[in-house]
């Protein structure tokens, strides 16, 4: 038999009838010879109702008491589901997070899991019982019995963490859609169901607004190679497998707070091409990268920064051998980018820079940890390394530096993030080999991994993972839209080592997470000091606070005005298949140009391209890009209420 962890969300257990339907599904799974742990959320909108009650008592309720209150929601569900199973003749026992042994850090309302004591749970499984576990919660201390909750996505996190601790054969996440779709079906009903997706791709999509699976859960699945499948609660369709690389041999101690960075990567075979003063209007990026694609020039990083007035800077990196070809394309197209409506507008200028290197830190553990990027910038500053370009994604931060400083930068980053040289250190080759993780293809490798649990392999009762999601990856897996971001622009930041560290370190101290970071390529000399603009995005709820913090220290740190724009949206494409494909960015930019959507910022990683557009054009941008890449299916999905 297989050991399976199943998770059912609030919609799936939103009524007595739905709980009984879940019990029937669980019962059938057990009867085919499997051991089962079931993790559940609170029924329907129960948690929202509890939050409303608390706010009626206090506008800012105590965090400890909120944990005491919110943890009751799941306790109702586990008791009812256990009763429903017992009515079917299936032995079952309900257990809270504390009873099942989920030990967390002492951080109320947003605790991370430290470890899970599985002895009691395994005893019940060996007695043939289904163990029904309250998701979203744990206990901070076995002595003082302090109840904690895990924050948003906590039930997903509980389920995958339990699967990792038990070395379960796989973890099933049941939700109100049939699996992971190419985009939000509420915005594009023709969104297509994916058979499989890699953890790296899912991490990018999950953090960008794909609400099916929380990134903390994907992070654990990736770190511990937990086979994961997302299915519909209402059908028997196979769903979508989320595949991960081979096990990394991580300790199950400090399960969620292990080191955030797994790899330090570098590439010294890089050169930069920048176009300064290109018009700020729809179609410019499409024209530039369309020609680059036609000339088969493969680019690595792409950034478009904001600038004062009606122009932008666009920069991209290429491998050194094709620099001349890239330069020729940029120089040929620059005159065509001149503003015909304003003959006095300065012509776009092409700027080249060789002898540069890209250094990167990578790791799923950096998600939701504001201090990781700041620590990278501070480490480089302490090593006397100036940052020329910055590119960020959910699982990687890359900086372009002087090639002569690459070794010093890599050594400093290895030491700072405790990554051993020769073991996790990687030389990258741009987009040509990134994202191609080799995913495990057989879940049976995980059978009998937990020695105290009696399980045996049975191909009759256990599904098999699909072949690696990377083996025949489409160019683009999915398109995501984030309408909850704000952009801050800081004018005239001194261009010297340590400025990014101070800026983003300040935000990290106040627990403000930063998403896209763009540094202007145009440099001004003011009072003998070279200065550049820096723009970045944060959660909209953090926008005003971030602006106030940065304005307060502007005079001290020597930068100019801090400008906040809350009317933006970020649209992104994600896919390991875009690696080594020059035309993908051009196709995305052309889709936006066809809908007269102006691109305000661009940032890329190996498997993601993100554009900031006006908020009012966000949905249109998503729909246009989704159609351009042919991601629509023949079936329309309706998300149940």
């Amino acid at each position: 038999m297989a050991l399976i962890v199943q998770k059912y969300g609030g919609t799936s257990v939103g009524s007595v009838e739905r709980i009984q339907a879940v019990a029937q599904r669980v019962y059938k799974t057990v009867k085919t010879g499997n051991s089962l742990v079931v993790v559940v959320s609170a029924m329907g909108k129960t948690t929202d109702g509890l939050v409303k009650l608390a706010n009626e008592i206090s506008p800012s309720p105590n965090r400890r008491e909120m944990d005491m209150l919110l943890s009751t929601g799941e306790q109702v569900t586990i008791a009812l589901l256990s009763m429903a199973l017992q009515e079917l003749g299936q032995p079952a026992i309900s257990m809270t997070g504390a009873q099942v042994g989920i030990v967390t850090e002492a951080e109320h309302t947003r605790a991370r899991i430290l470890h899970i004591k599985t002895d009691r749970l395994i005893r019940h499984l060996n007695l043939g019982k289904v163990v029904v576990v309250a998701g979203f919660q744990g206990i901070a201390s076995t002595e003082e019995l302090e109840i904690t909750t895990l924050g948003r996505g906590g039930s997903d996190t509980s389920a995958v963490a339990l699967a990792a601790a038990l070395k379960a054969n796989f973890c099933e996440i049941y939700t109100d859609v049939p699996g992971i779709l190419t985009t939000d079906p509420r915005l594009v009903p023709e969104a297509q169901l994916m058979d499989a997706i890699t953890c790296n791709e899912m991490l990018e999509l999950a953090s960008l607004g794909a609400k099916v699976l929380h990134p903390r859960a994907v992070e654990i699945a990736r770190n511990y190679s937990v086979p994961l499948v997302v299915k519909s609660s209402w059908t028997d369709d196979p769903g979508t497998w989320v595949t991960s690389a081979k096990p990394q041999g991580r300790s199950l101690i400090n399960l969620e707070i292990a080191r955030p960075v797994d790899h330090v990567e570098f590439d010294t075979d890089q050169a930069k091409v920048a176009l300064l003063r290109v018009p700020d209007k729809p179609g410019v990026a499409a024209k530039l990268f369309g020609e680059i694609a036609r000339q088969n020039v493969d680019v690595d990083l792409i950034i478009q920064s904001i600038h004062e007035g009606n122009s932008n800077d666009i920069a991209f990196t290429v491998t050194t051998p094709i620099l001349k070809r890239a330069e020729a394309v940029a120089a040929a197209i620059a005159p065509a980018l001149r503003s015909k409506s304003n003959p006095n507008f300065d012509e776009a200028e092409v700027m080249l820079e060789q002898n540069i290197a890209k250094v990167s830190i990578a790791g799923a553990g950096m998600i939701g940890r504001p201090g990781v990027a700041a620590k990278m910038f501070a480490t480089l500053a302490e090593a006397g390394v100036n940052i020329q370009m910055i590119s960020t994604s959910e699982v990687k931060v890359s900086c372009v530096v002087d090639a002569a400083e690459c070794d010093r930068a890599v050594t400093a980053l290895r030491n700072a993030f405790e990554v051993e040289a020769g073991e996790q250190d990687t030389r990258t080759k741009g987009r040509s080999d990134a994202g191609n993780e080799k995913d495990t293809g057989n879940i049976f490798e995980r059978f009998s991994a937990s020695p105290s649990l009696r399980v045996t392999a049975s191909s009759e009762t256990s599904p098999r993972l699909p072949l690696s999601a990377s083996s025949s990856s489409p160019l683009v897996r999915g398109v995501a839209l984030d309408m909850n971001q704000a952009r801050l622009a800081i004018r005239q930041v001194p261009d010297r080592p340590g400025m990014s560290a101070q800026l983003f370190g300040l935000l990290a101290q106040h627990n403000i997470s930063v998403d896209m970071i763009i540094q202007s390529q145009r440099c001004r000399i003011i009072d003998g000091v070279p200065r550049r603009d820096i723009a970045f995005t944060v959660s909209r709820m953090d926008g005003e606070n971030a602006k106030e913090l940065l304005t307060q220290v502007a005079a001290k740190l020597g930068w100019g005005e801090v400008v906040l724009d809350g009317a933006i949206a970020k649209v992104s494409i994600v896919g390991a298949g875009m690696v080594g494909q020059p035309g993908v960015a051009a196709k995305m930019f052309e889709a936006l140009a066809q809908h007269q959507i102006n691109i305000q910022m661009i940032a890329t990683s190996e498997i993601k391209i993100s554009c900031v557009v006006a908020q009012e054009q966000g949905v249109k941008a998503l729909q246009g890009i989704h159609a351009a890449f042919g991601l629509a299916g023949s079936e329309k999905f309706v998300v149940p209420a």
Side-chain angles (χ1 to χ4, degrees), residues 90 94 190 206 265 300 334 344 373 482 539 542 544 576:
Q90 171 58 48
S94 61
E190 301 83 9
E265 303 172 353
D300 185 5
N344 296 320
D482 190 341
S539 169
D542 289 329
E544 290 290 350

Side-chain angles (χ1 to χ4, degrees), residues 98-168:
Q99 290 171 327
V100 86
I102 297 176
V103 180
T104 74
E105 58 187 353
E107 188 72 43
H108 287 292
T109 73
R110 57 186 182 197
R112 290 181 179 268
I113 297 172
L114 297 178
H115 59 274
I116 301 177
K117 300 179 178 180
T118 58
D119 295 354
R120 185 178 180 186
L121 192 157
I122 289 172
R123 283 202 307 271
H124 288 297
L125 288 173
N126 283 335
L127 291 173
K129 297 178 183 177
V130 171
V131 181
V132 184
V133 179
F136 178 67
Q137 61 183 254
I139 188 170
S141 167
T142 53
E143 289 79 29
E144 298 187 9
L145 305 179
E146 281 294 309
I147 293 174
T148 54
T149 62
L150 307 181
R152 181 172 169 265
S155 292
D156 287 352
T157 305
S158 299
V160 181
L162 280 166
L166 290 167
K167 295 183 172 60

Side-chain angles (χ1 to χ4, degrees), residues 437-460:
E437 55 185 43
K438 299 298 182 184
D439 300 315
T440 181
N442 193 332
I443 59 174
F444 298 128
E445 295 173 6
R446 299 177 65 87
F447 276 83
S448 304
S450 185
S452 57
L453 182 62
R454 297 191 295 270
V455 293
T456 56
S458 169
S459 59
E460 299 298 319

Side-chain angles (χ1 to χ4, degrees), residues 84 100 103 159 180 192 199 209 217 297 307 313 328 342 434-435 520 582 593:
V100 86
V103 180
I180 299 167
Q192 189 174 350
C199 274
V297 175
H307 200 69
D313 301 336
N342 184 1
S520 172

